[in-house]
Amino acid sequence: MSPSATRLLELLPQRSDWTAARRSPRRDILAGVTVAIVALPLALAFGVASGMGAQAGLITAVVAGALAALFGGSNLQVSGPTGAMTVVLLPIVHRFGGPGVLMVGVLAGLLLIVLAVARLGRYVRYLPTPVVEGFTAGIAVVIALQQVPAALGVGDAHGDKVWAVAGDAVVRFLQQPNPAPAVMAVVVAGVILLGARWRPALPFSLFMVAACTLFAELVPLHLARIGALPSGFLAPSLSFWDWTAVPDLLTAALAVTALAALESLLSATVADGMTVNERHHPDRELFGQGLANIVTPIMGGVPATAAIARTAVNVRAGAHSKLAALTHAVVLAGVVLAAAPLVSRIPLAALAGVLIATTVRMVEAASVLALLRATRRDAVVLVLTFAVTVVFDLVTAVALGLGVAALLALRAVARSVRIEQVPLETGDFSAEEQALLAQHIVAYRLDGPLFFAAAHDFLIQLTEVADIRVIILRMSRVSTIDATGAHILGDAITRLRHRGITVLLSGIDPRHEKVMTTVAATAYLYQTGLVFPDTPTAIDYARDLPIRSQVLA
């Protein structure tokens, strides 16, 4: 069997996936029902927030939830529509309409499968914590801003960015105030937040949505509702597909792919941390999310990803296997088939309150404050990622946050490189010989990585020496040398030789010899025997050199 075929088979479901389900199926089923109760109002709210409607949110929770559970790489993950995804989808809806969103979902699913086959899932673990916390806080603010029109009962707010739409909604509300939606949203959010502190296990979001729906039916208030929903699922269809639109949608598809991969793998990592023996398979998780995002749009749903909040509920409810997430999808499917008329009467303001409460719980204030106090570098990355997420978009924020984090990390590593003069070993020589060496020979020790970000400072320090006949560079503590570092080292050696200074190298790690011999100046030292295994041997050689100017071409 070819390596590519073997790799693909590794991504498919395994019989061992269901070993845990056979141990405690009743506990998994109860956990799945609990998650479904929590997920129902969120699925409705995120479907509305995405611009595709409540039905699309429910379909996504059912189809993506089932497929990601069956084919994903985590036993505890629960997938569906998420707040972060709505942030990315809403601009796509405004620009390309519903068919564009469905096409983006399929394209993103294909790209996720490519990432899985290429085994790129493992690299998400290297995402810096300030970037994660920054865009999480930014997403929370964006989702909260998205709820302002529904919370104020304004249905025709406009703007290019979410904060502009929220501002327009406030202006329109002040012109024609209707306090009922605002009061409902605030009450729902307040009860959910207080209830979560009082009885975390109770589904206060579902209780409040049901209570608000009943209240709106009994009291004649002007409240916008979800609206009529078809009973049942839509027939599978690819009528939305348009090959000519693919080039225009690729950028959006890349954004959805990045978000789906990022949020799913982060969620799986969180789930692993909440348990003892669970470890997810990152590439299988990407494969499962990819397959879910290919099929879900064909059924009328929006692009999906794993949901950290629902996954956490699943773990706390006692789930041990994929059966719990699959049960959650089955329960929601029953809601789609049997309770569509009731769902259609839910006030949008109540769903806005649910999402506002969700955004408050998304941000761990203690973690954010700790990062802001940790180092200036962490604070800069976190604040920058947060600001760009709110002002521009999530993918730009993550890319910029990663870039700035990498640059600041390189700067910190470059500053850790030291070149310092060290005393020669006095025990090997008489007092007269040591005095002679001190007058004409100097040793420098290099510590840390000698790479492109650090090499410039090294060159300046090294070429400023004066009144020296021989320089011994002690290289044993150099951890890394790249091509740039080797070339600048060679440049410094050439300049010193033209000033009549002989350069000796000692203690070079054998792993660095290959890059050192690719540079003419350092290769010359190897060829002429000026590279030594240790510093005492180099000192012996330097002591025997005649005191004369050595200008070497």
Side-chain angles (χ1 to χ4, degrees), residues 467-484:
D467 300 324
I468 297 299
R469 179 172 61 90
V470 180
I471 288 180
I472 300 171
L473 295 180
R474 302 176 61 176
M475 308 283 289
S476 60
R477 296 189 183 182
V478 175
S479 57
T480 302
I481 303 178
D482 70 355
T484 304

Side-chain angles (χ1 to χ4, degrees), residues 319-510:
H320 288 290
S321 75
K322 295 171 177 287
L323 180 60
L326 191 60
T327 301
H328 138 272
V330 171
V331 172
L332 291 178
V335 173
V336 174
L337 295 172
L342 294 177
V343 170
S344 67
R345 302 300 299 168
I346 295 175
L348 292 178
L351 295 182
V354 171
L355 291 187
I356 290 171
T358 301
T359 62
V360 174
R361 299 174 67 184
M362 281 176 64
V363 181
E364 301 228 357
S367 177
V368 172
L369 291 174
L371 284 172
L372 290 174
R373 296 192 191 105
T375 65
R376 184 178 299 177
R377 181 174 70 247
D378 291 335
V380 167
V381 173
L382 189 151
V383 172
L384 181 65
T385 306
F386 168 80
V388 175
T389 300
V390 175
V391 177
F392 296 101
D393 60 77
L394 176 65
V395 176
T396 301
V398 172
L400 189 60
L402 284 174
V404 172
L407 288 174
L408 293 176
L410 284 175
R411 180 170 173 263
V413 172
R415 286 185 168 185
S416 71
V417 179
R418 298 192 306 275
I419 175 171
E420 58 181 344
Q421 185 175 348
V422 295
L424 298 173
E425 288 77 353
T426 57
D428 294 338
F429 309 100
S430 66
E432 294 79 6
E433 290 171 330
Q434 179 62 30
L436 180 64
L437 291 173
Q439 294 174 11
H440 301 286
I441 301 172
V442 66
Y444 283 95
R445 181 172 61 215
L446 278 68
D447 285 331
L450 185 61
F451 69 125
F452 69 92
H456 179 69
D457 291 339
F458 161 80
L459 173 63
I460 292 175
Q461 294 180 58
L462 189 58
T463 55
E464 285 180 349
V465 298
D467 300 324
I468 297 299
R469 179 172 61 90
V470 180
I471 288 180
I472 300 171
L473 295 180
R474 302 176 61 176
M475 308 283 289
S476 60
R477 296 189 183 182
V478 175
S479 57
T480 302
I481 303 178
D482 70 355
T484 304
H487 274 280
I488 292 185
L489 174 62
D491 187 20
I493 291 171
T494 300
R495 295 189 188 194
L496 292 168
R497 285 167 50 207
H498 280 283
R499 289 171 49 196
I501 299 173
T502 299
V503 179
L504 311 180
L505 303 181
S506 70
I508 297 177
D509 191 314

Side-chain angles (χ1 to χ4, degrees), residues 9-101:
L9 286 175
E10 291 175 353
L11 299 175
L12 296 177
Q14 312 292 323
R15 181 177 297 178
S16 59
D17 293 346
W18 297 97
T19 302
R22 291 192 287 269
R23 290 200 297 264
S24 53
R26 179 179 299 177
R27 191 169 183 177
D28 284 322
I29 291 172
L30 289 175
V33 172
T34 302
V35 177
I37 292 172
V38 173
L40 175 58
L42 292 175
L44 295 170
F46 288 137
V48 173
S50 70
M52 293 292 287
Q55 185 189 29
L58 279 175
I59 290 173
T60 304
V62 174
V63 179
L67 289 175
L70 291 171
F71 291 90
S74 171
N75 286 331
L76 306 174
Q77 193 95 280
V78 179
S79 298
T82 64
M85 190 62 77
T86 65
V87 174
V88 177
L89 294 181
L90 196 57
I92 300 174
V93 172
H94 290 160
R95 183 177 177 186
F96 300 104
V101 171

